[in-house]
Amino acid sequence: MDDTDKKILQLLQENARISLKTIAEKTFLSSPAVSARIEKLERDGVITGYHAQVDPLKVGYHILAFIGLEVTAEEKPDFYAYVDQIPNVLECCCVTGEYSMILKTAFESTMDLDVFIGELQRFGRTSTRIVFSTHVGPRGVSVQGE
């Protein structure tokens, strides 16, 4: 991956709907050359998808919470199968520390969150933190070495 690929990635992370023409202008390439580079980045698994960022509050999800969960190694397959089916789980990461899993979740109400936590506890001990505000929201990774 060269600096031009990194510039293309940065531009796509800022706006996935940016036109090939605009990318071409900013990278001093032709539109077909940009298209070929993007296709290669997709084939190589560097670009894994294109997504719209949706404000959870605007679609009724007023409760954002991070849940720590202590899951044993033996329980992980069942836990992963379960959590894959729950659309309120925005992210699930296996981590080090006091809890083996951290889940980022969005719910319409604290009652819905409470029900989910009750279901999670069959896999292990939980610790929940409800988000009051978010100063830095989701963003792409730096590909420019900054």
Side-chain angles (χ1 to χ4, degrees):
M1 184 178 338
D2 63 15
D3 288 342
T4 302
D5 288 335
K6 291 177 181 179
K7 178 69 174 175
I8 291 169
L9 290 173
Q10 193 66 43
L11 292 166
L12 287 171
Q13 285 187 112
E14 291 168 6
N15 177 6
R17 295 182 59 165
I18 190 170
S19 70
L20 289 177
K21 181 182 176 194
T22 303
I23 296 173
E25 290 169 358
K26 293 180 180 276
T27 57
F28 308 104
L29 296 173
S30 67
S31 291
V34 168
S35 181
R37 282 175 177 258
I38 290 172
E39 287 173 16
K40 182 174 183 337
L41 290 165
E42 291 170 345
R43 258 191 331 273
D44 292 348
V46 176
I47 296 175
T48 59
Y50 299 88
H51 311 280
Q53 284 185 296
V54 176
D55 183 339
L57 290 172
K58 305 272 181 173
V59 293
Y61 293 94
H62 300 282
I63 306 298
L64 182 64
F66 288 90
I67 303 169
L69 174 65
E70 196 176 279
V71 179
T72 65
E74 298 79 36
E75 289 276 350
K76 280 184 182 179
D78 290 338
F79 167 73
Y80 288 144
Y82 168 74
V83 81
D84 280 342
Q85 305 299 315
I86 309 297
N88 300 82
V89 176
L90 307 179
E91 292 182 52
C92 175
C93 303
C94 184
V95 298
T96 62
E98 185 176 356
Y99 296 93
S100 54
M101 300 289 166
I102 297 289
L103 289 76
K104 180 179 180 181
T105 64
F107 287 92
E108 293 178 349
S109 70
T110 54
M111 291 178 291
D112 294 336
L113 173 61
D114 186 45
V115 168
F116 177 66
I117 291 168
E119 293 169 1
L120 269 186
Q121 289 175 338
R122 70 181 156 126
F123 295 103
R125 185 174 61 96
T126 64
S127 175
T128 303
R129 284 151 179 75
I130 293 177
V131 175
F132 289 141
S133 64
T134 301
H135 178 71
V136 177
R139 60 181 172 195
V141 297
S142 174
V143 292
Q144 297 296 320
E146 297 171 4

